[in-house]
Amino acid sequence: MATESASRSRSALVLAVGQIRYQILVLLRSPLGFFVSVVIPLILLICLKALLPGEPVGALPYAQWLTPAMCAFCLLNACYVASVTGIVLAREEGILKRLRGTPLPAWAYLAGRFGSAFVTAAAACAVIIATGVLFFHVRMVWHAFGYFLTAALMGIVCFFVLGAAVTVLVPRSETALPVAFGSMLPLAFISNVFFAADPPQWLHDLAYAFPVAPVATAMEDSFDPATHSWPMPVSGTLVVLGWVVAAIIVMALAFRWEPGPARAALTINSPRRWRRPGHRGNRPDDEGRRHTGRTGRRRS
């Protein structure tokens, strides 16, 4: 019995590793995913540095602050936006429904998606940091680099599970990208991902009620030579963990594997379920036939 259980666990792990490999290959063959995850943050890094070449952020040069900020933006694109669009597209094309009929466990599919997001985010951050170091004189703060990696890992996990949970609210593949960017960009702006602004207190509190601001701020502070301890406060850590738990609960209760949310909603909310056209039964025109004979004449 124990041998059979171990064999099943090994086969599930093999399926999960294969799913990670498959999702990475799909990403490499998708120019849109590469463009959104790597090219857009790189373009923003170059353009914002060109617009504000000597603008300091506190005691830091602008490029020293902007480089980790663009890494946080990479995490949002690679983990949140890519998860929303990729999962919704797979669901609406019937891929998820077919996967449910295979030996692939549900967690293995999501692990494959997470592995792809992790590799993409790591590669995008490496490109951003290399560009900042080579062209904008960004200095690596090695004694705080572990804090940067920890904050980035928290962001990868949080943004991925949030993206998977948001797919519950996306009805069609055509609306996946607008929903993803429409919910991500406002949070990025108020969380000081693009500019180090001094917002009103209510806007500051609103930003820190979401996980983007704690993660981005911790990553930015990790490039400050004055940072010698974990830069994310306890309140920020609790916010990130709370959003992770909430997203996992939503996924466990409402994650959908079949396309057609409108049809599902109609079945649940309709007081009467009509049968398909041509089928005799509960149709409105059957009410008038109950009192008629075979010839269609009303009985006397």
Side-chain angles (χ1 to χ4, degrees), residues 167-180:
T167 61
V168 174
L169 305 175
V170 183
R172 298 184 304 274
S173 57
E174 295 84 359
T175 60
L177 197 61
V179 168

Side-chain angles (χ1 to χ4, degrees), residues 1-294:
M1 197 71 178
T3 305
E4 183 177 345
S5 177
S7 177
R8 289 179 180 177
S9 300
R10 283 196 300 270
S11 62
L13 289 175
V14 170
L15 289 173
V17 172
Q19 188 63 209
I20 293 174
R21 177 178 174 274
Y22 169 74
Q23 294 297 337
I24 292 174
L25 290 176
V26 169
L27 180 69
L28 292 176
R29 295 170 182 172
S30 171
L32 178 61
F34 178 80
F35 184 82
V36 169
S37 303
V38 180
V39 178
I40 289 181
L42 184 60
I43 292 175
L44 284 175
L45 173 66
I46 296 172
C47 292
L48 291 175
K49 181 62 178 70
L51 289 173
L52 301 170
E55 187 74 17
V57 178
L60 294 178
Y62 183 61
Q64 188 75 19
W65 174 88
L66 182 62
T67 298
M70 285 298 100
C71 288
F73 188 57
C74 288
L75 302 188
L76 286 169
N77 283 307
C79 301
Y80 179 76
V81 175
S83 297
V84 173
T85 55
I87 293 176
V88 170
L89 182 62
R91 184 190 71 202
E92 295 306 308
E93 289 183 346
I95 297 175
L96 296 188
K97 183 178 180 180
R98 292 194 294 270
L99 286 176
R100 292 294 282 172
T102 67
L104 182 71
W107 68 264
Y109 172 77
L110 294 175
R113 284 282 180 185
F114 176 78
S116 173
F118 179 86
V119 172
T120 306
C125 288
V127 171
I128 294 295
I129 293 174
T131 303
V133 170
L134 293 176
F135 299 102
F136 302 135
H137 309 292
V138 173
R139 294 189 299 113
M140 296 298 298
V141 184
W142 293 112
H143 68 267
F145 193 64
Y147 303 142
F148 175 85
L149 295 178
T150 304
L153 181 60
M154 292 177 63
I156 290 172
V157 174
C158 183
F159 299 154
F160 173 79
V161 295
L162 281 176
V166 166
T167 61
V168 174
L169 305 175
V170 183
R172 298 184 304 274
S173 57
E174 295 84 359
T175 60
L177 197 61
V179 168
F181 275 114
S183 56
M184 180 269 286
L185 286 177
L187 286 178
F189 272 104
I190 68 175
S191 301
N192 288 347
V193 172
F194 303 115
F195 302 98
D198 188 13
Q201 186 62 39
W202 67 268
L203 189 59
H204 177 273
D205 295 339
L206 177 63
Y208 276 83
F210 293 91
V212 179
V215 170
T217 302
M219 294 174 68
E220 293 157 6
D221 290 345
S222 298
F223 271 59
D224 187 350
T227 299
H228 293 279
S229 61
W230 173 239
M232 187 183 296
V234 176
S235 59
T237 305
L238 292 178
V239 166
V240 175
L241 295 179
W243 279 98
V244 170
V245 172
I248 292 175
I249 293 174
V250 170
M251 291 170 59
L253 296 178
F255 188 82
R256 291 182 291 105
W257 297 84
E258 296 188 2
R263 292 193 295 273
L266 181 63
T267 303
I268 293 172
N269 299 328
S270 298
R272 177 181 293 179
R273 183 177 178 182
W274 307 109
R275 300 190 183 185
R276 64 182 184 275
H279 190 284
R280 298 191 62 181
N282 283 334
R283 293 186 298 173
D285 57 343
D286 288 336
E287 299 294 332
R289 297 180 182 179
R290 293 179 182 177
H291 304 289
T292 61
R294 294 187 178 181

